[in-house]
Amino acid sequence: MALRCALVLLKHDNEGKEFMERITKRLHALSYHLRSYFWLDFSQLNDIYRYKTEEYSHTAVNKFNVMPDSLPDWVFDFMPQCGGYFIGNVSPARMDFRWFSLGNCIAIISSLATPDQSAAIMDLLEARWTELIGEMPLKVCYPAIESHEWQIVTGCDPKNTRWSYHNGGSWPVLLWLLTAACIKTGRPHIAKRAIELAESRLLKDNWPEYYDGKLGRYIGKHAHRFQTWSIAGYLVAKMMLDDPSLVGMIMLEEDKQMIWPPLNRSISCTI
């Protein structure tokens, strides 16, 4: 999204055009890499499950030598038949299969996600409403990291116990990003349902920073109240839902003049 915004901000002089060419080239490579290797849906998950390891050369299917045994048990039940999302990270022999709401919403708003992928992300949200929305929008990530692993991954911040804070907590501020993504994909009913959930609790709970628990049922153990960003997130979401044209202030459409490389990965079966 930063690269796309830079194209808009640069002057069309000689120096600006040189940077534009470099940015466009980077966008081609980056978008192809993320759309291809960071995208996960039912078909791709099945492919990873059947990966052979230690393949070499450009013909290798398992390009990052991911071990199928590293697939977490939860992802098989979490992945619906129709739907998909961008995963957290891909590194040699290991993938972070967690769902991150902020990244997936921005992927839609910035047009990193293709129209097919954007629709699949919305399909996933509807299919896994309880896990990702629960009783308070929106889970920052799913699932929470359990046992002692959260201490290693999150820097041992005591707020990051499972289903709390940045480790599976629910953050009302994310409501505006969800609403923008819903409007762009033509699914405003999802945002409306989420906003109604938030309205039933936020004012009564004095606008807390975040919520705890698998369903976001409890006000966060260390959450501050009367948080500006919780209030602002709700207000912006309401304004966009009332006037969808406002989404244009933050939304980037895919530049049709750019010839993006085709996807080599499967997409949601709803498309």
Side-chain angles (χ1 to χ4, degrees), residues 121-132:
I121 292 170
M122 290 293 113
D123 290 341
L124 178 81
L125 275 166
E126 291 197 280
R128 294 292 174 259
W129 183 268
T130 300
E131 293 90 338
L132 302 180

Side-chain angles (χ1 to χ4, degrees), residues 64-75:
F64 298 96
N65 196 33
V66 174
M67 302 296 175
D69 289 344
S70 70
L71 285 164
D73 292 338
W74 65 265
V75 75

Side-chain angles (χ1 to χ4, degrees), residues 71-262:
L71 285 164
D73 292 338
W74 65 265
V75 75
F76 294 101
D77 295 326
F78 178 72
M79 181 62 69
Q81 192 76 27
C82 299
Y85 63 102
F86 288 99
I87 62 175
N89 191 28
V90 179
S91 58
R94 187 172 180 83
M95 304 172 80
D96 185 347
F97 290 95
R98 286 179 296 164
W99 152 273
F100 290 91
S101 57
L102 180 62
N104 277 276
C105 286
I106 289 181
I108 293 174
I109 295 169
S110 66
S111 288
L112 168 62
T114 66
D116 292 342
Q117 289 173 334
S118 296
I121 292 170
M122 290 293 113
D123 290 341
L124 178 81
L125 275 166
E126 291 197 280
R128 294 292 174 259
W129 183 268
T130 300
E131 293 90 338
L132 302 180
I133 306 295
E135 296 184 17
M136 174 52 66
L138 176 66
K139 274 273 176 275
V140 67
C141 63
Y142 180 89
I145 302 174
E146 305 276 350
S147 64
H148 296 295
E149 189 180 0
W150 71 266
Q151 296 175 310
I152 300 170
V153 175
T154 69
C156 214
D157 187 328
K159 294 190 292 294
N160 280 327
T161 54
R162 61 179 185 170
W163 306 112
S164 180
Y165 202 52
H166 296 148
N167 186 16
S170 297
W171 292 73
V173 66
L174 297 174
L175 193 61
W176 76 272
L177 283 159
L178 172 65
T179 301
C182 290
I183 292 172
K184 184 175 181 181
T185 54
R187 310 275 187 100
H189 63 279
I190 298 178
K192 184 175 184 295
R193 185 180 172 190
I195 288 172
E196 287 174 351
L197 267 177
E199 286 177 332
S200 69
R201 297 193 59 191
L202 282 176
L203 179 60
K204 181 179 63 177
D205 295 339
N206 294 323
W207 306 95
E209 184 181 20
Y210 65 93
Y211 286 76
D212 285 352
K214 284 188 176 182
L215 299 178
R217 180 174 293 174
Y218 304 98
I219 297 173
K221 185 183 296 185
H222 300 280
H224 299 287
R225 296 176 190 263
F226 300 106
Q227 290 295 288
T228 303
W229 58 357
S230 295
I231 300 169
Y234 164 74
L235 291 175
V236 172
K238 285 286 285 187
M239 291 173 68
M240 288 192 296
L241 203 58
D242 291 340
D243 182 4
S245 68
L246 294 175
V247 179
M249 297 172 65
I250 57 167
M251 183 180 70
L252 292 174
E253 293 288 357
E254 188 167 2
D255 191 341
K256 303 303 179 184
Q257 295 179 346
M258 294 182 183
I259 304 174
W260 298 102

